[in-house]
Amino acid sequence: MRENTYRTHQKILGAVLVAYGALNFTGGIALLASINVVNIFVDEMEVIELVTFVSSFVGGALLLTSIPGIIAGVGCIQEKEWSRIMSLIMGIIYLLFFPIGTLIGIYSICLNAQTVIKEKEPRIATDLVKETANPV
């Protein structure tokens, strides 16, 4: 992958991570806020407990993953070195968030895997030349 193409894709990934993180943050806040609304309209205690548990779990998961996703996205846009690793980690986590998160995760993993392979390629070629020149 050419350097210009990689930078373009890295910025696209950054924008996608920021947008998806913002949507997850908004959804997490909405789910946590909806707990009290459900309690007003439902009289059965079992339903209230179930809705409270599910909303708290899903809302908390959305909030916990949205903030690192936004940070990784801003880092990608600013071309920070640490953002590659963080966006790769977030891509792996987002694989669980079907369907949109899965697409973002695949894109992140493919983009970052290509750069790691390209960085390792010269070393592999150099090691191969050394091995063939000096057989043991």
Side-chain angles (χ1 to χ4, degrees):
M1 184 180 297
R2 284 191 247 146
E3 187 64 28
N4 278 344
T5 306
Y6 169 73
R7 285 184 176 174
T8 303
H9 281 285
Q10 194 71 10
K11 289 188 180 199
I12 291 170
L13 177 63
V16 169
L17 286 173
V18 168
Y20 193 64
L23 284 174
N24 283 345
F25 187 81
T26 305
I29 295 292
L31 275 174
L32 292 176
S34 69
I35 293 172
N36 292 329
V37 174
V38 170
N39 293 343
I40 294 171
F41 294 109
V42 178
D43 294 333
E44 295 183 36
M45 196 58 174
E46 293 174 356
V47 174
I48 291 173
E49 289 175 357
L50 178 67
V51 170
T52 301
F53 174 74
V54 171
S55 295
S56 298
F57 181 75
V58 174
L62 288 174
L63 286 177
L64 285 176
T65 57
S66 66
I67 296 170
I70 292 171
I71 293 170
V74 170
C76 287
I77 292 170
Q78 295 177 351
E79 299 179 3
K80 302 289 185 185
E81 187 64 31
W82 53 264
S83 68
R84 269 195 332 201
I85 306 257
M86 192 166 183
S87 66
L88 179 62
I89 292 169
M90 292 310 300
I92 292 168
I93 292 171
Y94 282 158
L95 287 174
L96 300 173
F97 291 24
F98 184 80
I100 297 170
T102 305
L103 295 173
I104 294 170
I106 291 169
Y107 182 57
S108 174
I109 292 168
C110 289
L111 177 66
N112 290 307
Q114 285 179 357
T115 58
V116 168
I117 290 170
K118 290 292 182 184
E119 287 176 358
K120 301 284 183 190
E121 225 172 60
R123 292 182 198 154
I124 293 170
T126 306
D127 292 344
L128 185 63
V129 168
K130 286 179 185 177
E131 288 177 13
T132 56
N134 300 325
V136 178

